[in-house]
Structure formats: C-alpha cells, structure tokens
Amino acid sequence: MNKYICIHGHFYQPPRENPWLNEVELQESAAPYHDWNERISDECYARNSASRILNSDGNIIDIINNYSYISFNFGPTLLEWMQKKDPETYQAILDADKQSMKRFSGHGSALAQVYNHAIMPLANERDKHTQVIWGIYDFKQRFERAPEGMWLAETAADIPTLEVLAEYGIRFTILSPYQAKAFCKIGDKDWTDANGGSINPRRPYLCKLPSGKEIVLFFYDGPVSQGIAFEGLLSRGEDFAERLSSTFEEGTKEPQLMHIATDGETYGHHHRFGEMALSYALHHIQEEKLAQVTVYGEFMAKYPPKYEVQIIEPSSWSCAHGVERWRSNCGCNTGSHPNWNQEWRKPIREAFDWLRDEITPLYEQELTKLGADPWSTRNDYIEVIMDRSEENVTAFIKSHTSRELTQEEQVRFLKLMEMQYHALLIYTSCGWFFDEVTGIETVQDILYAARVLQLAQNLGSRDLEPEFVERLRQAKSNYRERGDAAASYMRTVKPTMIDLLRVGAHYAVASLFREQGEVMELYSYAATSEAYEYKQAGRQKLAVGRARIKSKITWEELTVTFAVLHLGDHQLFGGVREFMGTEDYERLSQALNSAFDRGYVSEVIMLLDKHFESHNYSFWHLFKDDQKKILDQVLALTMENLENDFQQLYDNNYSLISAIQTIGMQMPRPLQTTVDYIVNTRLLHEFESEQPSPQEVKRLLEEVQRMDVTLSYEDLEFALTQRVDQMMKKLQENPQDEATMNLLIELLEVVSDSKLQTDYWQAQNIAFRMQQDGYQDLKQRSEQGDQQAKAWIEKFEKLYQNLNLKV
C-alpha cells in the first residue's frame, strides 16, 4: 500500500504557575475544577489516553490510547505540571510512545517542542539555542530516547531557527503549507513557486541550510486541518476517516502521506467527544484498509525526501503576516472583538526585550565572578529545573563553578539562574496571541517579568521597575476603565509579588488553621518552627512565634518573628519582621499574651502596629488557595445555618408550594428560590456522601420534576461523577465488595432517567480493566457451576451495562 495517514496533535497549555510559588493557583473561571490545566486535562489529555470506540448501538466495545496511534507533542511545561498533578495521564502518554515504537518500526509518536513556546524567529541567537537545548533535554528525560522531530511554537520558522534545530540533531519539523516558498526535485535547478499553500503536502521535503546542514520539512494538509475546526469532521468518526482518505491522488505509484496538524485540545476540549471521533477514525481507517496509519519518523525512514524546498521567512501557521502577531497590530486576532486593536503588542515586546538586555551584563558579570560560564551554564540549567532536589542542585553548582562557593554565593548563583529562567518564560507566545493586554495570558508573562525585576534588584542591579512600568504605559487596554498594562501591573502583578517576609506572614496565619508541626511546606518554600505559642479565648485566637523561612528554589532563608490575632471569620491582624533577638522577642511575646489574657483586643492590635510597623498583614495577604480553604472553614457554619433557615421555610410552606404547583400558578420567586436551593443542596449532599442513598436521590429527582426545579447541572454532574469514580476505585481494590457493587448498580439506575448528563469516563475505564483482568476467569467458573462466581458475574454484567459498556 502506498497510502499513509498521519494525524499530529499539538498538545499545549501556557505555563500558569505563580512565579514565586511554582504552583498553579486557584482559577475560578475553571470551576468546578481547580484550574484550567486540571479542567483541560480531564476533558482532553486524559480522555485521549483511554478513548472509547462505540458500536452501532452506542455501546463501548474497546478503549484505546490514541497517543500510541498518532503523532503528538506536549509542551514541556505542561508535562511538568502533569507529572505532579495528573500522574496517571502523564504515565499513559509516556507508555504510548513506547507502544508506538513497536507499531511504527522503532519510531515513536512523540515529538519534542521548543521549551516554553517562544516564537523562535523573534528570539535572539542565545535564546534560540537554550529553547532547543531545554526542549531536547526535557524530552530525553521523560521519553528515554532522543527526539527525531521538534515542534516549533505556532510553527514559526526562519532559516536561523532551522539551523539551530539541525545543529542539535533534530531531523524534521512540521510547517503550514502557506510557509512553503518554492520546491524542486533534488538535483534540479528549476524551482516551482509554492506560494499560497500550493505545495503538495503528500511528500516530505529537504531543506538545505547555508551551514551545509539539512532538515526535513513536512507541510500538513491545510484544508483538512481547518475542516476539523470548521466543518464538523469530529461529529462522526467515520466522516473524519473518509475525509482523510479522500485526499489521495489516484493513479500514482508514488508513496503519499496524508497528514494533518491541529491543536491537540481539539480532541475533547474544544470539541466534546472529539477524542472518540479520533479513535473511531483510526479504527475505521485500519479496518477498512483505507490507508496505513504511520508517524513522520517511520515515513521518512521508508521514503526519504526526493524534493527540496525553500520557506517563506519568517512565517507561522497562525499569522498571515509572518510573525507580526507577536510584535505588532497586524490585524490577526481571535475575531471575538472586531472593534478592538492590538497596538499594545509592540510596547509589550519592546519592554520585555529591554528588560532582557538590561539584565544581561549583570548576569554575565556576576556569574563569571562565581567561576561559571554564563551561557553554557544557562543551557544546562534545565537539569536543575527538572530536578530541584538539594543533592542534584549541589552537584550542579559544583560541576559548573571553578571553585567551592560559600552558602551566600550558592544563593546568589541560584538567583542568577532563576533570573534567566524567568527571562525566558516572559516570551511565552500566548502573551501576544489574544486580543487584550490585561488578559490572563499577557499578565502571566508580565508576572514572570516582575520576578526578573525582583531578582535583579536582589542581585545589586539598579531598580529597573520604574522604567519597566513606564514602558508598560504605552500598552493601552481596550477596556477604558483598565487603562494600560502599567495600571494592570500595579493592580494585579505588584500585589502578587512575594518575599520571605510575606511567606512568613502566610505561615503565621496558616498555623492557626492547620495542625502545627515542626516543618510546614508552603509550595516552593519551607517554614521551620523555632518557637510557637498559641492561645484561644472563645472565637479569638493569638499565635506568637518565630520560624526559619527557606526558599526551595534559591535556598535563601530568613528567620522571622511573627504574631497574628484572629477575631473570627476572616478578620485577621498580623505582623512579621526579621528576627529581633531573643530578649526583644520575649518582651513582645509577654506583652501580647498579657493583653490577650486580659481581653484587651485593642491593646493587642496596638502592640502589633507598634512592633511590626509597616509589615502588617491580613487575610488578604494569604496565598489564593489558602484564602479559599480558610473561607470554606469560616463559611461552613454560616452555610449550615442558612441551609437550616431555607429548610424550615421549605418545610413550613410545603403544602402551599405543592398547591401552587398543582393549579399551575407561577411560583413566587422567593418560594421558587427556596425550592431550588433545598433540592439542589440535598442532591449535592447525597452525591458527596460516601454512602449515597439511591432512594433519597430518587425522591429528590421526582421532586425536581414535580416542582419544576432548576438544577445546578455542572456542580451536580461533577459531584456525581466523582462519587461514582471513587466507588469504582473501591470496587477495583476489592471486587468482592458486594455492598459497593449493589449500591453502584442502584445509584446508576436511579439517575439514568434524569436529565443529568454525567460522563462516567473514569468509572468505565476501571470497569473495562476489571472485565479484561478477572472477568473471564470468573465467567469460566460460573459456567462450571460455581454459584458464588455466577452471582458476581450477573451483578458485574449489570453494572457494566449501566456504565454503557458492552459485555
């Protein structure tokens, strides 16, 4: 067969971590998930690792790992998050690459990516090299092999970028057909114009570089790739497969590669159940022998390029003007706000370039003083980014410096490296891609810049912040009330900045709401308690102490004295300062405790103001996730009282509510709100309970119908999904747990007739694995007369069918 199909998915999310905490903080817009990484991972990344194939009746007949059949790349920063927060999906992705090597003649599905999705033609020469070196190292550490190909952010390319790829052994990359300029047969001198996307995408092309090196380029099929987003090809897997296979040229013996490239999030996040359309298309192509599924490395090995190509430079797949989308108001945008402009892109790019160039002499000078080569050390720093254990960092410092460093010098070394790390992160492309300068993507890049500014000043630079902020004033918002990027910096970025005193303040407050241990882990910091006194009188609490705060990233540390007063709810008053000495600490402790014991709250607050001066903190200085945890604790009693009030109103007026409903009158809004609240709350309680009552759920669902209740679908479906998943995990651990199996069967039957559109994806995975692992043995024993096995088989098959699986 000379027909081949390759589907490439570019799986990527911009880094969303707080630059000081090295963690993604709570993002309310992603609710009911913690953040957008978590939401998209559940909707897309995890789904593609175990995607369903359905029969004509809609039953699941197989579950496959799509990643082992397609070509794909994952952003290194996304994989770093996934390794910590979604390890099961992360491992499935690594396993898929190994499986694909067996399927595709030793060529893996996975491609590397330039490290943090920087637009390579706009990067300076040093940054180009670091982006590629870091991307390759990250790939090797995760996939345990060298990458054959590398994905360029937005497929943005020019000849210097291709030179860097080739220099580090990258054999191919993928571009848009609109990036091809001209082609010819290798050895010929007559070039054929390929502008306007007219190049034949069915073959690989050799790009000969000025240095004498070469790299292979694959130009994906533009119309079909766009059709996935705009023609509804993912609505039906068979249509998707037919569209892919319909593009081959008939009557030619030349091997043809039909290949597409899209954002991987298309399969499940942008298009719900898109991963199922993908898995069915792959299944259909192979079953009907429409073509042979392959990956780029295998096809290139079988059919080396016979044609040579020249590219348009600089160019990309998402900007008709080259790479102007990432530095000017070129007209390319999301289309959501036709009256807006993106004049802000240029001053943001210039501000970042200015900052990068300002810190370069400081970095070179100070790292050289420590006996290290600045740029080779930065290229190697990915070894620390991927393993921040103290043992590894110590070895790295030792191997990259010509002399032994003092503890203070080690801190300085790490601060210099972190300054460069964040100076690279500021160029993450999403900061320019969207329409508004105060959007979360651009603000995220500015947060990285703020970390650079802070570290530079720590290291002895003049204060660069005023000039940087002044440059941001040129980046005007499309929202008049938001002003410009400078106003956004002062409003959003500046309050986010953290130093060791701020961490100490967080530790002091958090100590009131957590069990006190010797060491408290606070994201990328650790707080070691050296003294701690706690008093409580009614709702009022007082904590006084001292602790050593240490950054796990830069190793800087500070011993702080703190005191915090909690008056109940979210009313907190606290102070923190550098440790003042034992005698001063004892006097402070004695004065605060004495005033608190006497019930003089105002005196405690005055003492806090006196001893901590400008270093006063409140609830609003807590890190975002802990603010929510504490508010949840504070709100628990309030919500319980509120629920009791609603319940009483509901019970006292139930007959009246029923009568109104019976005669068809419109329910007064206060009463309808009461009914909606009570029924939704009770359902949520049942779904969140470890032992939900199917009978109570059934009664409440009947109430929904009778009282015309407006359900909070997203919250209820999320809670029910979580409960069913947890019960299935419990059953997987103990398949003979008859009570759990019966409860699951009954619960699933009760909700099956409701309007709740619950997706039992994880539960189905577990049931499918159980069916593959232990089912056949028990089935055989059942057929041989084992009554216990027979009873289990009957119940499991019922559960299996309730989960929409086919036995």
Side-chain angles (χ1 to χ4, degrees):
M1 181 180 290
N2 69 337
K3 296 177 181 179
Y4 293 83
I5 288 176
C6 175
I7 299 171
H8 182 82
H10 165 51
F11 295 89
Y12 170 73
Q13 290 297 303
R16 293 187 165 97
E17 283 77 7
N18 177 308
W20 291 268
L21 302 180
N22 205 27
E23 288 281 348
V24 180
E25 293 189 283
L26 178 70
Q27 295 176 313
E28 290 89 347
S29 60
Y33 297 86
H34 176 270
D35 55 72
W36 278 103
N37 279 5
E38 186 178 289
R39 180 164 198 149
I40 296 170
S41 190
D42 182 60
E43 294 175 350
C44 175
Y45 308 140
R47 303 297 169 113
N48 278 283
S49 72
S51 181
R52 289 89 175 81
I53 295 177
L54 307 182
N55 63 10
S56 57
D57 297 325
N59 298 120
I60 298 168
I61 57 172
D62 200 4
I63 296 179
I64 68 168
N65 188 334
N66 282 344
Y67 300 114
S68 65
Y69 290 87
I70 67 170
S71 170
F72 68 86
N73 73 280
F74 268 86
T77 54
L78 175 58
L79 286 178
E80 180 184 1
W81 173 88
M82 195 177 291
Q83 185 177 12
K84 292 188 291 186
K85 301 297 184 180
D86 190 359
E88 188 173 340
T89 301
Y90 174 74
Q91 190 59 50
I93 291 165
L94 303 188
D95 292 343
D97 183 65
K98 290 181 171 60
Q99 293 161 14
S100 69
M101 292 179 73
K102 298 174 183 176
R103 182 170 289 121
F104 300 124
S105 316
H107 300 274
S109 292
L111 275 63
Q113 179 198 289
V114 291
Y115 185 74
N116 65 279
H117 218 257
I119 301 301
M120 292 290 277
L122 296 179
N124 65 25
E125 185 68 16
R126 280 195 296 258
D127 289 359
K128 280 186 173 73
H129 283 265
T130 304
Q131 285 283 341
V132 173
I133 290 168
W134 284 14
I136 291 173
Y137 183 89
D138 185 278
F139 184 92
K140 286 181 175 178
Q141 291 298 110
R142 299 185 192 283
F143 292 96
E144 299 177 336
R145 66 176 180 86
E148 291 186 89
M150 176 169 271
W151 180 266
L152 295 170
E154 304 292 340
T155 75
D158 59 3
I159 292 301
T161 297
L162 298 182
E163 286 276 18
V164 175
L165 294 186
E167 180 177 341
Y168 294 103
I170 298 299
R171 299 182 60 205
F172 70 87
T173 192
I174 308 161
L175 300 181
S176 159
Y178 293 94
Q179 293 178 263
K181 179 180 179 182
F183 68 94
C184 69
K185 260 201 165 181
I186 294 175
D188 286 359
K189 294 184 179 179
D190 295 328
W191 290 83
T192 301
D193 181 78
N195 279 278
S198 60
I199 196 163
N200 182 351
R202 304 285 169 266
R203 58 171 78 111
Y205 294 86
L206 189 68
C207 183
K208 294 182 179 179
L209 303 170
S211 66
K213 296 183 177 66
E214 300 174 341
I215 189 168
V216 174
L217 303 180
F218 290 91
F219 297 93
Y220 62 79
D221 187 298
V224 180
S225 297
Q226 288 186 319
I228 290 174
F230 304 112
E231 295 175 19
L233 291 182
L234 296 184
S235 299
R236 189 166 177 265
E238 192 170 337
D239 293 343
F240 184 22
E242 296 292 342
R243 182 74 168 91
L244 291 170
S245 60
S246 68
T247 60
F248 292 111
E249 293 180 21
E250 297 301 329
T252 177
K253 293 183 179 180
E254 181 181 344
Q256 300 179 71
L257 177 67
M258 193 292 150
H259 63 109
I260 59 171
T262 63
D263 287 335
E265 291 74 20
T266 302
Y267 305 109
H269 174 57
H270 299 313
H271 295 272
R272 193 179 184 196
F273 305 125
E275 81 286 353
M276 293 170 62
L278 173 59
S279 55
Y280 190 85
L282 291 164
H283 169 79
H284 186 71
I285 288 166
Q286 294 172 103
E287 284 288 305
E288 299 299 319
K289 296 183 170 52
L290 301 178
Q292 185 171 325
V293 175
T294 189
V295 292
Y296 293 108
E298 182 186 54
F299 188 84
M300 187 173 66
K302 286 182 175 179
Y303 308 108
K306 295 181 179 179
Y307 289 81
E308 189 177 345
V309 73
Q310 296 172 348
I311 66 166
I312 297 170
E313 54 172 337
S315 58
S316 66
W317 77 347
S318 51
C319 179
H321 316 92
V323 293
E324 293 306 306
R325 186 170 190 155
W326 297 276
R327 65 178 174 188
S328 73
N329 183 29
C330 68
C332 290
N333 53 56
T334 65
S336 303
H337 305 89
N339 297 323
W340 284 7
N341 73 77
Q342 285 74 49
E343 294 290 352
W344 56 267
R345 288 174 177 160
K346 184 173 185 284
I348 290 292
R349 170 71 59 178
E350 290 176 346
F352 288 175
D353 286 348
W354 171 83
L355 179 58
R356 176 198 63 199
D357 295 341
E358 281 291 316
I359 65 167
T360 295
L362 171 70
Y363 172 71
E364 290 180 324
Q365 177 183 321
E366 294 303 312
L367 205 67
T368 302
K369 283 182 185 177
L370 298 176
D373 177 89
W375 302 112
S376 65
T377 302
R378 187 182 77 165
N379 287 342
D380 292 343
Y381 191 61
I382 184 65
E383 298 172 21
V384 169
I385 294 167
M386 293 194 72
D387 179 5
R388 294 189 181 274
S389 66
E390 198 159 315
E391 181 183 14
N392 181 61
V393 176
T394 299
F396 181 86
I397 295 173
K398 188 174 181 179
S399 65
H400 285 79
T401 52
S402 58
R403 61 182 175 82
E404 189 171 343
L405 303 187
T406 65
Q407 185 176 351
E408 184 180 341
E409 287 175 327
Q410 289 177 341
V411 170
R412 193 168 185 79
F413 177 97
L414 291 172
K415 284 185 174 182
L416 286 162
M417 300 316 303
E418 284 298 304
M419 182 176 70
Q420 280 297 317
Y421 172 53
H422 288 90
L424 286 165
L425 292 180
I426 65 177
Y427 289 109
T428 301
S429 69
C430 303
W432 290 267
F433 186 86
F434 297 96
D435 298 351
E436 168 55 21
V437 70
T438 63
I440 58 173
E441 297 85 5
T442 311
V443 170
Q444 182 69 32
D445 284 358
I446 296 174
L447 280 166
Y448 294 129
R451 181 61 173 146
V452 174
L453 291 167
Q454 184 187 54
L455 287 165
Q457 189 166 17
N458 285 174
L459 291 161
S461 166
R462 66 183 177 87
D463 187 358
L464 300 173
E465 185 183 62
E467 186 170 349
F468 180 75
V469 172
E470 191 60 36
R471 288 172 178 271
L472 294 184
R473 293 193 197 285
Q474 307 307 310
K476 304 297 181 183
S477 170
N478 286 289
Y479 294 100
R480 182 176 297 179
E481 67 275 12
R482 295 186 187 179
D484 51 41
S488 178
Y489 179 92
M490 302 308 294
R491 182 174 57 248
T492 305
V493 175
K494 189 78 171 174
T496 305
M497 296 175 72
I498 293 168
D499 57 18
L500 293 180
L501 282 176
R502 172 82 179 271
V503 179
H506 179 92
Y507 165 73
V509 174
S511 71
L512 294 174
F513 298 90
R514 297 193 196 181
E515 287 188 19
Q516 182 65 18
E518 184 181 349
V519 179
M520 185 184 291
E521 299 293 332
L522 300 169
Y523 306 96
S524 58
Y525 298 87
T528 303
S529 177
E530 295 183 347
Y532 191 80
E533 302 168 77
Y534 172 83
K535 287 181 179 292
Q536 182 169 359
R539 296 183 68 198
Q540 298 171 2
K541 303 173 185 176
L542 175 70
V544 184
R546 70 174 186 269
R548 187 173 74 257
I549 311 298
K550 181 176 181 178
S551 166
K552 292 184 277 188
I553 305 295
T554 64
W555 292 4
E556 62 180 328
E557 57 181 59
L558 180 70
T559 300
V560 299
T561 299
F562 64 84
V564 59
L565 174 67
H566 182 212
L567 299 179
D569 296 336
H570 68 287
Q571 298 180 71
L572 292 161
F573 301 90
V576 62
R577 59 181 288 180
E578 190 169 351
F579 180 55
M580 58 185 78
T582 304
E583 289 184 8
D584 287 341
Y585 170 75
E586 293 296 341
R587 279 196 294 270
L588 170 65
S589 173
Q590 185 176 359
L592 285 169
N593 280 299
S594 175
F596 186 81
D597 288 341
R598 288 180 284 124
Y600 293 169
V601 172
S602 58
E603 185 178 338
V604 173
I605 295 172
M606 288 174 58
L607 286 167
L608 291 174
D609 289 339
K610 174 185 175 183
H611 285 277
F612 296 102
E613 299 173 342
S614 62
H615 293 298
N616 289 317
Y617 294 91
S618 68
F619 170 82
W620 308 109
H621 289 93
L622 280 167
F623 305 148
K624 201 166 186 177
D625 281 63
D626 285 86
Q627 281 183 356
K628 184 178 185 305
K629 287 176 187 174
I630 291 172
L631 275 181
D632 284 346
Q633 290 182 39
V634 169
L635 280 171
L637 182 59
T638 301
M639 294 305 294
E640 185 179 337
N641 292 335
L642 186 64
E643 188 177 328
N644 289 336
D645 291 342
F646 268 100
Q647 185 68 57
Q648 189 173 359
L649 184 63
Y650 178 81
D651 293 340
N652 291 343
N653 295 279
Y654 186 79
S655 58
L656 176 62
I657 292 169
S658 296
I660 292 171
Q661 191 67 37
T662 300
I663 64 175
M665 277 182 60
Q666 184 171 349
M667 189 80 68
R669 182 174 293 180
L671 288 180
Q672 186 64 58
T673 300
T674 300
V675 173
D676 289 350
Y677 178 81
I678 287 297
V679 174
N680 275 284
T681 302
R682 284 182 172 180
L683 269 174
L684 194 60
H685 284 339
E686 287 300 324
F687 293 157
E688 290 176 343
S689 168
E690 288 189 13
Q691 290 291 322
S693 167
Q695 294 76 27
E696 178 65 7
V697 170
K698 183 179 180 180
R699 189 190 69 76
L700 289 167
L701 289 173
E702 289 170 351
E703 196 89 328
V704 169
Q705 296 294 323
R706 186 167 55 253
M707 297 295 185
D708 196 22
V709 173
T710 300
L711 287 178
S712 301
Y713 283 103
E714 189 171 35
D715 291 337
L716 291 170
E717 288 166 357
F718 186 78
L720 177 57
T721 298
Q722 297 285 95
R723 175 55 49 212
V724 172
D725 288 350
Q726 288 162 13
M727 292 170 74
M728 278 302 301
K729 288 176 184 175
K730 184 178 178 183
L731 189 61
Q732 184 182 30
E733 292 169 3
N734 181 15
Q736 302 305 318
D737 184 349
E738 188 176 337
T740 297
M741 191 181 293
N742 288 335
L743 182 56
L744 259 171
I745 291 169
E746 196 175 348
L747 181 62
L748 290 169
E749 287 177 346
V750 164
V751 299
S752 64
D753 294 329
S754 74
K755 292 182 180 179
L756 294 170
Q757 298 295 312
T758 310
D759 183 4
Y760 303 122
W761 178 80
Q762 183 69 264
Q764 289 170 337
N765 286 353
I766 294 170
F768 190 80
R769 286 195 292 266
M770 290 176 67
Q771 194 267 351
Q772 288 183 318
D773 293 342
Y775 172 83
Q776 294 301 334
D777 178 55
L778 285 166
K779 181 77 171 174
Q780 189 175 7
R781 284 163 51 190
S782 169
E783 291 169 351
Q784 293 172 351
D786 187 325
Q787 293 303 308
Q788 189 174 358
K790 182 180 179 181
W792 188 93
I793 286 292
E794 288 175 355
K795 287 179 181 176
F796 181 75
E797 287 182 352
K798 193 170 186 179
L799 172 62
Y800 207 71
Q801 288 165 349
N802 284 350
L803 287 168
N804 194 31
L805 291 153
K806 183 177 176 63
V807 178

